[in-house]
Amino acid sequence: MNENEYLQQVATLAGLQHYPQQGPWGRKSGSAVGTRDGYVTAVGFSRDRQGTSIVILLRFKKVEQPELVTSAVKSAAIKNGKLGAVGNSFLRWEWKYSFAKPKAEEVASLASALREAIRPVTTGFDGRCEQCASTSTPSLTLMNGLPTFICAGCQEKVRHELNQAAENYDAITPNYPNGLALGIGAALVGGLAWGLVAYTLNYIFLYGAILIGYLVAAGVLKGTGKVTRFGQIIIPILTVASVLFGDAIFYTLIVMKHQSVPFSGKLLNAVMLHLWEMESKGDGALSLLFGLVGAGYALYSSRKPKFQAVFQPLGAPNV
């Protein structure tokens, strides 16, 4: 059974409607979407490095304490899947599988169980706009793929606010020296941590390079004040440099241990001068690969924010 047929079956069992190519997850199979007892429910497929999941999204009126939603779901002790995320107006549940899809009946039952679990601490929608809470809005509208109750007036208001935010962002004057200084500082701290951890565990972690990339990107963007071409160039360079600097720290510590010599700037400089020679005999290629992965993640995380809201009625053809 392909994804479209599966979601059609889930929709029938759960009292929803299947909308191909629409929904929060951007897949061709779309989502099963609808409102049950005031709770917006969407079911679809999501795929990441860990595999494929059936995802259930529940939306409700905003709550002041989303942690109560988390507690309510955990108290329900639901066996299939796990809690993905909770916000002040949504809950996302993920059911990962390896080969065969979970039975459609079980997914429909799971969606119902989740609604029952959060009912004591949340309130469903009442057919009015989520934004202004006054205009009658009986039909769901997709806002950037998310099923939402939002009236035409509030849609226009959101567009205007995002356009203004985009103009304000473009008007920011980037502080390049500050961005470079913070980026270098993050690279030095990240490289030092990389070297110390590698020395302590005698093992290097891919996620360490990703973390370095994240720290460097955060430092450059915080200092610069916005995403710029300068930042997108310097962030991956600093990330790779940070990983290599971490390797230099690692080799310096190795020399200190085996030669019983104290740390000195002269020793670190000598290691850095012969770094490539040592890298070629050890795990240098792996470190460089991890550094490039970290740089790629840093570039991904330093994308310019999207100040855009796309509204689309459920069932309308994608254009």
Side-chain angles (χ1 to χ4, degrees):
M1 184 185 300
N2 62 36
E3 290 185 2
N4 278 282
E5 294 170 340
Y6 181 84
L7 289 176
Q8 180 61 61
Q9 187 174 350
V10 170
T12 301
L13 293 168
L16 309 173
Q17 186 169 343
H18 178 219
Y19 297 95
Q21 301 186 26
Q22 289 190 314
W25 299 286
R27 295 180 65 84
K28 290 183 178 180
S29 57
S31 307
V33 182
T35 306
R36 296 298 306 272
D37 302 324
Y39 292 88
V40 175
T41 305
V43 182
F45 290 91
S46 177
R47 184 169 295 163
D48 57 23
R49 292 178 181 175
Q50 283 71 47
T52 304
S53 303
I54 297 291
V55 185
I56 298 175
L57 176 71
L58 297 182
R59 299 197 61 250
F60 40 83
K61 285 187 176 181
K62 288 184 178 181
V63 296
E64 295 296 327
Q65 297 176 294
E67 60 271 15
L68 293 179
V69 180
T70 302
S71 298
V73 174
K74 289 183 177 180
S75 298
I78 297 174
K79 296 181 180 180
N80 294 323
K82 66 177 183 178
L83 184 63
V86 170
N88 60 4
S89 65
F90 77 92
L91 174 150
R92 189 180 73 246
W93 191 266
E94 301 172 351
W95 188 350
K96 290 189 181 297
Y97 65 91
S98 299
F99 300 103
K101 302 178 184 69
K103 292 182 180 180
E105 294 86 352
E106 294 178 331
V107 174
S109 177
L110 174 59
S112 178
L114 289 170
R115 284 193 299 268
E116 290 302 316
I118 66 174
R119 193 186 299 275
V121 294
T122 61
T123 303
F125 296 108
D126 54 7
R128 290 182 292 178
C129 174
E130 298 179 36
Q131 301 284 328
C132 64
S134 59
T135 305
S136 176
T137 312
S139 299
L140 285 167
T141 298
L142 296 176
M143 183 173 73
N144 293 338
L146 185 70
T148 307
F149 287 109
I150 183 168
C151 66
C154 287
Q155 289 180 34
E156 187 58 36
K157 181 180 179 181
V158 169
R159 289 192 186 96
H160 175 75
E161 290 175 349
L162 290 175
N163 288 338
Q164 186 62 53
E167 292 178 6
N168 294 339
Y169 188 84
D170 290 338
I172 296 174
T173 301
N175 188 334
Y176 294 119
N178 198 34
L180 182 60
L182 289 181
I184 291 175
L188 290 173
V189 171
L192 180 61
W194 171 277
L196 290 173
V197 170
Y199 174 75
T200 302
L201 303 179
N202 197 31
Y203 187 78
I204 56 176
F205 293 91
L206 171 60
Y207 289 114
I210 293 176
L211 180 59
I212 288 174
Y214 175 82
L215 291 174
V216 171
V220 172
L221 295 180
K222 181 176 178 60
T224 307
K226 64 186 295 187
V227 175
T228 63
R229 183 63 62 189
F230 166 81
Q232 291 175 329
I233 293 174
I234 200 66
I235 286 171
I237 293 175
L238 288 176
T239 300
V240 174
S242 179
V243 171
L244 295 178
F245 174 66
D247 283 356
I249 295 294
F250 169 75
Y251 287 122
T252 299
L253 292 171
I254 292 295
V255 172
M256 290 169 58
K257 178 181 179 180
H258 289 283
Q259 299 296 326
S260 299
V261 296
F263 175 83
S264 67
K266 184 177 180 180
L267 174 60
L268 177 60
N269 184 58
V271 170
M272 294 186 71
L273 288 175
H274 296 86
L275 181 60
W276 183 249
E277 180 182 346
M278 289 183 286
E279 293 276 36
S280 61
K281 295 179 180 178
D283 294 327
L286 188 60
S287 290
L288 186 58
L289 175 61
F290 282 7
L292 290 173
V293 172
Y297 176 82
L299 273 176
Y300 177 81
S301 65
S302 62
R303 295 167 297 165
K304 182 179 179 180
K306 289 184 178 180
F307 299 98
Q308 184 181 21
V310 177
F311 296 97
Q312 184 184 39
L314 276 169
N318 287 331
V319 295

